[in-house]
Amino acid sequence: MKVLVINCGSSSLKYQMLDMKTETLLAKGLVERIGTDGSVLKHEKTNLDDKLVREIPIEDHKVAIASVVDALIDPVYGVVKSMKEIKAVGHRVVHAGEKYAKSVLIDDKVIGVLEGCVDLAPLHNPPNLFGIAACRELMPGTPMVAVFDTAFHQTMPPESYIYALPYEYYEKYGIRRYGFHGTSHKYVSERAADMLGVNIDDLKLITCHLGNGASVSAIKRGKCIDTSMGFTPLAGLAMGTRSGSIDPAIISFISDKEGIDADEVLEILNKKSGMLGISGTSSDFRDIDAAIQQGDERAALALKVFAHRVRYYIGAYIAEMNGVDAIVFTAGVGENDTNTRDVICNELGNLGIKLDLVKNKVRGKEAIISRDDSRVAILLIPTNEELVIARDTYELTK
Ligand code: AMP
């Protein structure tokens, strides 16, 4: 059974086509600059060196999906003979509020509920919904599934998700911690149990999704009990360009001093802070690492702040779970950046967390990178959010 996975942003769309009998990737691609000049589709068929690049006008998400389908049925680059072979479509949807703790089969009622969540994710949910609407129009009768970034975190207990604000704001507006990157935390926690050969019900895990956006989760017996992102993905760790959690009073202070409004301050916290803000160089850890090699002190400080925050959550979650069996690193930085993993794990030995500096010299593949005498296992697991979306889609539609 062939499943198409769609991840729709405001001006871009990523997709993958998988055969779920064998869980193999058949093709993947990206449509960029939807609705602006220079739009382009880039498509890759597995095991074919040559890539398909189509620079064509793509005015909206419907045209984008149509161009994806064209590529998927292309005689050379395609992987199906006709659209009918696409048996189901899985959509990444960022926010489901408290409405869904699991993936759901999409119908008109679900669409209505998700429209009601737009307030909670005004930048992300609308493009996700455009993608769903475009697919439903182009592929009527093909079942569609929504897979949510927030769903995995719905198992958090109230003491983790309630902010110490007047309770009526939670009741009236749904202001609480939701958490994001849920499909990634779920995937790596399940893989960690497989790699360790231990039932997930017997494990306490801390999963560190460290990419351009970054979050840490505490997962006890397969269920998320806490996570570092909050009401929005701005909270928690310092990130590529995001500040992470700061004293909220700083917002009005900057607003007064700089003569800008709260939305402009938030823009700075989202786009000009984090590694970029501290280093003044770049949000990309490859550039930060290179600058540190050149003796750049602000880049070195940025990395120390990042590692400090990750350790802060690791410590907090060990306390909350009364122990930890394994720590998992995933996403762009977690999978690839040997130096950052080293800086994070340095001096955690008294907690039984000992990184093996030789085994740590690995990138982008599953590995156990802790020392043999480390009480806590340290794992590197490349994330695969698309596979989780495809699996849930398959399960709900097969
Ligand atoms: P993601 O958001 O998971 O795609 O992660 C993207 C980020 O991963 C980039 O902005 C880089 O900071 C980081 N990254 C990717 N490759 C490497 C690498 N080889 N070494 C260090 N950092 C990397």
Side-chain angles (χ1 to χ4, degrees), residues 190-230:
E190 288 170 359
R191 280 301 304 146
D194 286 348
M195 283 171 71
L196 295 169
V198 179
N199 191 316
I200 199 159
D201 291 341
D202 297 324
L203 282 175
K204 294 171 182 173
L205 300 169
I206 296 175
T207 51
C208 307
H209 176 110
L210 310 179
N212 196 30
S215 63
V216 183
S217 290
I219 300 170
K220 196 172 177 182
R221 301 195 185 97
K223 291 200 164 48
C224 176
I225 62 149
D226 207 349
T227 192
S228 60
M229 281 181 168

Side-chain angles (χ1 to χ4, degrees), residues 55-311:
E55 289 173 18
I56 43 172
I58 299 177
E59 53 266 29
D60 56 27
H61 288 83
K62 193 172 158 198
V63 179
I65 304 267
S67 69
V68 169
V69 172
D70 270 353
L72 290 169
I73 60 174
D74 184 89
V76 178
Y77 299 93
V79 289
V80 287
K81 288 200 185 67
S82 83
M83 231 156 71
K84 284 197 186 117
E85 274 184 61
I86 304 172
K87 293 296 178 202
V89 184
H91 293 268
R92 176 191 178 210
V93 178
V94 168
H95 220 306
E98 291 183 324
K99 302 293 183 196
Y100 299 113
K102 288 204 163 88
S103 304
V104 286
L105 200 58
I106 297 172
D107 58 17
D108 290 343
K109 188 170 154 246
V110 171
I111 302 271
V113 171
L114 296 179
E115 281 169 353
C117 295
V118 161
D119 239 14
L120 295 173
L123 298 180
H124 294 101
N125 271 28
N128 298 158
L129 285 164
F130 289 148
I132 293 171
C135 280
R136 289 179 101 201
E137 214 177 315
L138 287 166
M139 299 180 216
T142 305
M144 315 250 157
V145 169
V147 181
F148 309 104
D149 277 27
T150 48
F152 182 63
H153 302 300
Q154 280 291 303
T155 49
M156 285 192 286
E159 61 268 32
S160 294
Y161 69 72
I162 289 291
Y163 287 119
L165 291 169
Y167 194 74
E168 69 200 70
Y169 294 151
Y170 166 59
E171 294 176 307
K172 278 202 289 192
Y173 308 124
I175 298 178
R176 52 159 281 180
R177 178 176 292 123
Y178 288 102
F180 300 88
H181 297 138
T183 45
S184 176
H185 289 289
K186 178 176 194 275
Y187 174 78
V188 299
S189 59
E190 288 170 359
R191 280 301 304 146
D194 286 348
M195 283 171 71
L196 295 169
V198 179
N199 191 316
I200 199 159
D201 291 341
D202 297 324
L203 282 175
K204 294 171 182 173
L205 300 169
I206 296 175
T207 51
C208 307
H209 176 110
L210 310 179
N212 196 30
S215 63
V216 183
S217 290
I219 300 170
K220 196 172 177 182
R221 301 195 185 97
K223 291 200 164 48
C224 176
I225 62 149
D226 207 349
T227 192
S228 60
M229 281 181 168
F231 179 61
T232 73
L234 180 56
L237 299 173
M239 309 179 211
T241 62
R242 285 175 240 168
S243 63
S245 296
I246 59 165
D247 181 337
I250 293 171
I251 296 178
S252 62
F253 191 85
I254 295 178
S255 165
D256 283 351
K257 294 284 178 197
E258 296 277 315
I260 54 179
D261 66 23
D263 282 344
E264 290 169 301
V265 179
L266 276 180
E267 179 86 359
I268 292 168
L269 299 187
N270 268 303
K271 303 215 170 124
K272 296 190 177 159
S273 302
M275 298 297 100
L276 174 65
I278 301 172
S279 71
T281 308
S282 171
S283 62
D284 192 307
F285 280 69
R286 287 164 287 202
D287 301 333
I288 298 279
D289 288 340
I292 294 171
Q293 294 298 321
Q294 302 294 316
D296 184 325
E297 286 180 12
R298 291 246 308 266
L301 177 62
L303 183 63
K304 280 187 190 163
V305 170
F306 181 81
H308 168 270
R309 277 297 176 86
V310 178
R311 277 200 301 270

